[in-house]
Structure formats: C-alpha cells, structure tokens
C-alpha cells in the first residue's frame, strides 16, 4: 500500500469510526443507565462500564490521537510530554476495555456454571469492586509508558513527537515489561475468554440435555421451555461480545508476536517492509473497531434494548416534524 493511499484510508476510516462509535456508545450508556431492558443490575454495571471505556477509547485514541495526528499534525498534542501522556492514557483505557470484557465473561461463567457461588459473586457490590480493581491496576501498569519516549525533533527548544527510545528494544528490563504487558493484554484475556467460554459451553450442553429430557417427560415435546429461552438469550449476548473481541484482537496479537520474534520496531522504520506495516496498522484498525461493535450486538440480541433505541430515535424526529407543521 503506497503512502498516499494508506493516508487516505486512515483519513476516511478513523473519522467514520468515531462518527459511528461515539453516538452508539452514548446511546448504550443513556439507555442502560435508565432502563434495565430485562437484564440484571449486575450485567448492567458491566455493560455500561464497557460502553464508557469504549467511548473513552474513541475519544482519546481515535479522535485525540489518530484523527488529530492526521488533520492537525503540529498541534500542542504533539509536544513530547503531552504525546507521552496521551500514549500512556491510550494504553490504560484500551487495557481497561479488554479486562472489562474478561470480567463480564467471568461474571456470566459464574452465573451459568456455579450456582452456589452465583448469589455471592454476581451482585452489584462485587461488580463495582471488580470494576474499580480493573481500572486501578491498569492505570498502575501503564504508567511506565510515559517514560518510554524521547523527542523525535527539537525545534526552538520545544520537543516534538514521540519516538520510542532505543533502550526499549535492547534493555532486558524493558523487554520483560513489554512481554508482561502484552501477556496481560491481550494474550491472557484471549486464553481466559476462550477457556471460560469452553467451560460454559460444556456446562450448557450437559444441562440442556438433562433439562430437555425432564421437560419432554413432564410437558411433552411440543411445548417450549421458557427457562431455556431466557438462558439462550444470555448465552448469545455473552458469546457475541467475547467472540467479537477474539476476532478483532487476533491481528493485534499476531503483530506483537511478529515484532518480538522478528526483532522489529513498533513503528515504521528501515527494518519494516510493506507486509509488516499492513499487519501493524491493520491490527490497530481492527482493535479500535472493537470499541464500536458492542452497541450493535446489544441491538441485535436484546429486544427491549432495540425498542428503547427506536423510541429514542423517534422522539427527536417527532419533535422536528412538529416544528415544521
């Protein structure tokens, strides 16, 4: 991909991503904060927190980082201390989004597979504690990003842009930090989500076979089981959220392994060929797209959420129609 074509793709892709993702996540926050939509308060806590972090990803990473770099390359955001702070903040918010997906997956695993622990764990208080712990730990972990960069240029004694220090690639300590960072996000989340979903599927299949036999014996084959229908909707929501995460983060994970195994750098340089650039940028693009996907999953899987969303869209339209009458 030639430089001009690549720049054009970025100049179109990121504004479209922000234009779709920001209002979509705002709609999720407003609707789920006011209405339960048939979901438990514990689930609402996780879904709203995920929407908030996805919204912050779009604002900080997409708008203030990607779009600002494309359209306003020499703004105060490009001064090295501000740039370093932006990078640390970006990684913190992205990691919070990743680990909230893991926390939601674990909560649903407990609710479906561990009935005895469900009453104690799947509560609003526990959810609030988990959310606080996830955000605090990710803030501490990503603070080190601020010290990784040095100025790319110094103009009139002002340091501009962020360049990763050479020691980041040569120092065993920084190499260990980078491995730990990527193991914690997204390697470990990948493994945990796959493992939890596999255990959940196994439990569901076993429970469904037993319940189907019992239900057929008691009520006949023709009648539907309302409990199984309710469980099915919860499972569809869980697998849609965790499945989209795995798909959209796969390329990002492959890029990390490529960088460390092939001993490359994270940004374009002399040891980067066209395939590596496409792999890296494609991984970032899909990673950021994950911040737009969940609202459409809720709309596709939750009937009550769809109804509230339709009502929310119809209300301002009806006001506009009345104004012109």
């Amino acid at each position: 991909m030639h430089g001009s074509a690549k720049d054009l793709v970025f100049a179109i892709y990121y504004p479209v991503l922000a234009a779709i993702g920001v209002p979509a996540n705002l709609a999720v926050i407003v609707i789920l904060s006011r209405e339960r939509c048939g979901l438990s308060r514990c689930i609402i806590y996780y879904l709203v927190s995920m929407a908030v972090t996805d919204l912050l990803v779009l604002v900080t990473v997409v708008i203030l980082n990607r779009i600002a770099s494309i359209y306003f390359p020499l703004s105060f955001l490009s001064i090295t201390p501000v740039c370093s702070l932006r990078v640390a903040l970006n990684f913190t918010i992205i990691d919070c989004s990743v680990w909230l997906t893991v926390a939601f997956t674990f909560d649903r695993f407990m609710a479906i597979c561990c009935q005895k622990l469900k009453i104690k764990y799947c509560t609003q208080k526990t959810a609030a504690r988990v959310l606080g712990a996830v955000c605090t730990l990710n803030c501490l972990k990503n603070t080190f990003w601020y010290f990784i960069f040095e100025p790319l240029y110094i103009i009139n004694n002002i340091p501009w842009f962020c360049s990763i220090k050479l020691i980041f690639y040569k120092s065993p300590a920084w190499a260990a930090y980078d491995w730990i960072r990527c193991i914690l996000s997204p390697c470990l989340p990948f493994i945990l989500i796959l493992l939890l979903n596999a255990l959940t599927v196994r439990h569901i299949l076993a429970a469904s076979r037993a319940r189907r036999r019992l239900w057929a014996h008691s009520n006949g084959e023709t009648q539907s089981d309302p409990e199984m229908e309710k469980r099915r909707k919860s499972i569809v929501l869980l697998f849609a959220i965790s499945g989209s995460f795995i798909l959209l983060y796969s390329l990002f994970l492959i890029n990390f392994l490529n960088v460390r195994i092939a001993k490359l750098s994270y940004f374009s340089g002399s040891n980067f060929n066209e395939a590596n650039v496409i792999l890296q940028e494609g991984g970032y693009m899909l990673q950021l797209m994950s911040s737009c996907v969940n609202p459409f999953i809720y709309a596709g899987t939750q009937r009550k959420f769809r109804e509230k969303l339709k009502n929310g869209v119809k209300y301002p339209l009806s006001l506009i129609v009345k104004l012109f009458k």
Side-chain angles (χ1 to χ4, degrees):
M1 186 186 295
H2 295 292
S4 57
K6 181 177 68 176
D7 294 341
L8 180 62
V9 169
F10 295 159
I12 296 172
Y13 177 79
Y14 289 115
V16 170
L17 196 66
I20 294 172
V22 169
N25 281 293
L26 280 173
V28 170
I29 294 167
V30 172
I31 292 172
L32 293 184
S33 296
R34 298 178 62 185
E35 305 285 346
R36 291 178 61 179
C37 297
L39 301 170
S40 70
R41 293 194 179 278
C42 181
I43 295 178
I44 294 293
Y45 265 51
Y46 284 109
L47 297 187
V48 170
S49 64
M50 290 161 66
V52 170
T53 53
D54 285 342
L55 178 63
L56 290 174
V57 167
L58 290 166
V59 172
T60 60
V61 183
V62 176
I63 296 175
L64 295 180
N65 187 54
R66 293 288 170 140
I67 295 176
S69 298
I70 293 169
Y71 291 99
F72 309 101
L74 292 176
S75 69
F76 78 97
L77 294 172
S78 297
I79 298 174
T80 302
V82 179
C83 176
S84 300
L85 183 62
R86 280 194 299 130
V87 172
L89 186 62
N90 291 347
F91 277 105
T92 299
I93 295 170
I94 289 173
D95 286 354
C96 285
S97 177
V98 170
W99 276 100
L100 287 177
T101 304
V102 177
F104 171 74
T105 305
F106 183 75
D107 177 83
R108 293 300 84 203
F109 166 77
M110 295 290 285
I112 295 169
C113 303
C114 307
Q115 293 298 315
K116 292 182 179 179
L117 298 174
K118 174 184 175 181
I119 299 173
K120 291 184 178 180
Y121 184 82
C122 300
T123 63
Q124 291 176 253
K125 186 178 292 186
T126 302
R129 289 173 179 171
V130 170
L131 298 176
V134 166
C135 295
T136 301
L137 292 174
N138 279 298
C139 285
L140 293 174
K141 177 174 74 73
N142 288 291
T143 301
F144 295 99
W145 273 105
Y146 183 82
F147 305 100
I148 289 173
F149 298 99
E150 62 185 1
L152 186 62
Y153 306 107
I154 296 179
I155 303 173
N156 296 327
N157 292 323
I158 299 174
W160 288 93
F161 304 109
C162 288
S163 177
I164 294 181
K165 297 174 182 177
L166 191 60
I167 194 174
F168 179 77
Y169 299 102
K170 294 185 176 182
S171 167
W174 280 119
Y177 171 75
D178 196 34
W179 273 105
I180 292 170
R181 178 190 64 83
C182 204
I183 287 171
L184 291 176
S185 179
C187 297
L188 186 57
F190 256 72
I191 296 169
L192 289 175
I193 288 174
L194 288 172
L195 177 62
L196 291 170
N197 282 346
L199 293 172
T200 303
V201 168
R202 188 181 71 171
H203 176 85
I204 289 167
L205 292 175
S208 297
R209 283 193 295 266
R211 188 172 179 87
R212 197 178 297 115
R213 287 194 297 267
L214 180 63
W215 186 261
H217 179 73
S218 304
N219 300 280
E221 291 287 349
T222 56
Q223 295 186 18
S224 61
D225 185 347
E227 179 62 28
M228 289 303 297
E229 284 297 313
K230 182 180 178 182
R231 187 178 296 180
R232 183 186 65 80
K233 292 178 181 179
S234 177
I235 292 162
V236 168
L237 177 63
L238 167 64
F239 288 171
I241 291 174
S242 55
S244 67
F245 168 82
I246 290 169
L247 287 173
L248 294 173
Y249 268 79
S250 295
L251 203 60
F252 177 80
L253 180 59
I254 292 170
N255 177 61
F256 162 76
L257 296 174
N258 182 51
V259 167
R260 278 303 172 187
I261 293 171
K263 296 183 179 179
L264 301 172
S265 65
Y266 279 115
F267 302 102
S268 301
S270 58
N271 60 350
F272 243 56
N273 56 39
E274 196 73 12
N276 290 326
V277 172
I278 293 172
L279 176 63
Q280 174 179 278
E281 295 301 333
Y284 292 150
M285 291 168 78
L286 290 179
Q287 179 194 45
L288 296 175
M289 185 190 289
S290 67
S291 299
C292 295
V293 171
N294 284 351
F296 298 96
I297 291 175
Y298 306 152
T301 60
Q302 304 296 310
R303 180 180 58 82
K304 291 184 178 180
F305 180 84
R306 278 198 303 275
E307 291 174 358
K308 298 297 179 183
L309 184 61
K310 288 178 183 177
N311 292 337
V313 173
K314 287 178 181 177
Y315 181 72
L317 291 177
S318 63
L319 290 179
I320 293 172
V321 171
K322 288 179 180 178
L323 287 174
F324 284 94
K325 279 186 178 181

